[in-house]
Amino acid sequence: MTVPADHMSTVLAPFVVTLEAYDLGPGPVGVHRGLPSSTVSITIPEEDSLEIAWIRRPGSRQRLRAVVAGLHLDAAELRQERCTRGVYVTLSPLGASTLLGLPASVLAGQVADLADVVPAMADLPERLMACRSWPRRRALVEHCLVSGLFRHGERANHDELRATLAALSEASRVQEAAELLGRSRRHLSSTVRAEFGVTPKEYQRLVRFETARGRLVAAANAGKISLAAVAAASGFADQAHLTREWRAMAACTPTEWLRAEGLAPRCVPADDRPPGKERAGG
């Protein structure tokens, strides 16, 4: 079956969260902090390969031609030399099985080479190198993903799993999500673990973290950030709770991340320490 180019994005919309070009900077080496994520990501450097390591996992550094990462609660460091450009795709948890042919649980908490995960896409990096414009690169990636959709199709329990993720995203507690779905907490837990490789509580942590990240970026773009307001709007108990979660999951504070991304305006506090505590040694 052939899908017209102008319809590809519509067909993929339920499964593809982002599909964009990236550039890690003008220097000879680009470095990026990969934050915890509730999606499955595919990172394809324009040339050569990508070096990736989990920040808090000694000995985890590896070099891959194209990287597939599952849902993860840890931060990673990505380094790309010479040409620092490429293509970045994120899939919803259900998009992994529908487009790649394997449940998201298989990839949870780890990274792997695209060629090993999806042999049918093994030549995609080389084919992307031959494309001379972003529209052509985007069309090629979309074509490969649509081909995966036709090979694998939606799971029989797709609607049930989509409702499960929606309930976990909307509810503040796992028990509340179970009640919304009319299931036992044990059944909910076993389903989420088997399909996505994380616990229901871990998935809720990821959603809350990503909500805060989005609000931080929006506030930074607006030119004024209140960490307390972001914490309250994102479901954290207070600013200190927000900062603790960022330290635990991203290995940095929200302010440190904003600075690294070049997003922190002057009005952002110098650090994320709770009020009344002095900086050590200063």
Side-chain angles (χ1 to χ4, degrees), residues 3-16 19 138 142 146:
V3 177
D6 57 345
H7 290 169
M8 283 190 185
S9 295
T10 301
V11 171
L12 295 172
F15 313 106
V16 177
L19 169 51
R138 182 184 181 94
E142 288 182 337
V146 169

Side-chain angles (χ1 to χ4, degrees), residues 159-177:
D159 290 341
E160 176 187 343
L161 294 177
R162 183 172 57 186
T164 296
L165 294 179
L168 286 171
S169 299
E170 295 168 6
S172 58
R173 297 182 180 277
V174 175
Q175 183 59 43
E176 180 185 346

Side-chain angles (χ1 to χ4, degrees), residues 40 42 68 91 95-102 107 117-118 121 145 152:
V40 173
I42 303 173
V68 181
L91 309 178
S97 59
T98 304
L99 304 180
L100 306 184
L102 73 172
L107 297 165
V117 176
V118 191
M121 294 186 184
L145 294 175
H152 308 296

Side-chain angles (χ1 to χ4, degrees), residues 32-43 52-55 57 67-78 88 90 93 104 107-111 196-198 202-203 205-207 209-210 213 248-250:
H32 173 70
R33 181 183 296 261
L35 296 178
S37 175
S38 67
T39 62
V40 173
S41 65
I42 303 173
T43 307
I52 184 168
W54 298 105
I55 291 176
R57 300 185 202 175
V67 177
V68 181
L71 281 70
H72 56 94
L73 287 89
D74 303 318
E77 181 186 80
L78 292 81
Y88 181 64
T90 60
L107 297 165
Q110 60 179 310
V111 295
F196 310 119
V198 296
E202 287 172 337
Y203 184 78
R205 285 183 72 191
L206 286 171
V207 170
F209 177 91
E210 291 177 322
R213 182 184 65 186
M249 298 175 69

Side-chain angles (χ1 to χ4, degrees), residues 21-212:
Y22 71 82
D23 192 335
L24 300 183
V29 179
V31 180
H32 173 70
R33 181 183 296 261
L35 296 178
S37 175
S38 67
T39 62
V40 173
S41 65
I42 303 173
T43 307
I44 308 175
E46 190 171 306
E47 298 177 12
D48 199 18
S49 56
L50 191 69
E51 190 177 84
I52 184 168
W54 298 105
I55 291 176
R56 287 177 171 155
R57 300 185 202 175
S60 64
R61 190 172 300 279
Q62 56 183 312
R63 185 174 290 278
L64 302 172
R65 179 61 185 93
V67 177
V68 181
L71 281 70
H72 56 94
L73 287 89
D74 303 318
E77 181 186 80
L78 292 81
R79 295 175 61 87
Q80 190 170 327
E81 299 181 0
R82 295 184 293 277
C83 176
T84 59
R85 300 183 300 272
V87 177
Y88 181 64
V89 184
T90 60
L91 309 178
S92 69
L94 294 176
S97 59
T98 304
L99 304 180
L100 306 184
L102 73 172
S105 57
V106 173
L107 297 165
Q110 60 179 310
V111 295
D113 195 280
L114 178 63
D116 295 330
V117 176
V118 191
M121 294 186 184
D123 63 346
L124 181 56
E126 284 64 41
R127 294 173 66 189
L128 283 171
M129 284 182 64
C131 296
R132 297 304 176 187
S133 68
W134 167 242
R136 289 185 178 181
R137 292 190 183 98
R138 182 184 181 94
L140 174 58
V141 174
E142 288 182 337
H143 174 76
C144 288
L145 294 175
V146 169
S147 296
L149 173 63
F150 292 142
R151 279 196 304 272
H152 308 296
E154 294 185 11
R155 299 277 298 279
N157 60 345
H158 176 87
D159 290 341
E160 176 187 343
L161 294 177
R162 183 172 57 186
T164 296
L165 294 179
L168 286 171
S169 299
E170 295 168 6
S172 58
R173 297 182 180 277
V174 175
Q175 183 59 43
E176 180 185 346
E179 292 172 357
L180 286 172
L181 294 165
R183 303 176 203 159
S184 70
R185 181 163 179 162
R186 172 180 287 187
H187 180 266
L188 175 61
S189 180
S190 63
T191 298
V192 174
R193 279 179 176 274
E195 295 292 342
F196 310 119
V198 296
T199 68
K201 184 175 180 60
E202 287 172 337
Y203 184 78
Q204 288 184 322
R205 285 183 72 191
L206 286 171
V207 170
R208 186 174 59 191
F209 177 91
E210 291 177 322
T211 298

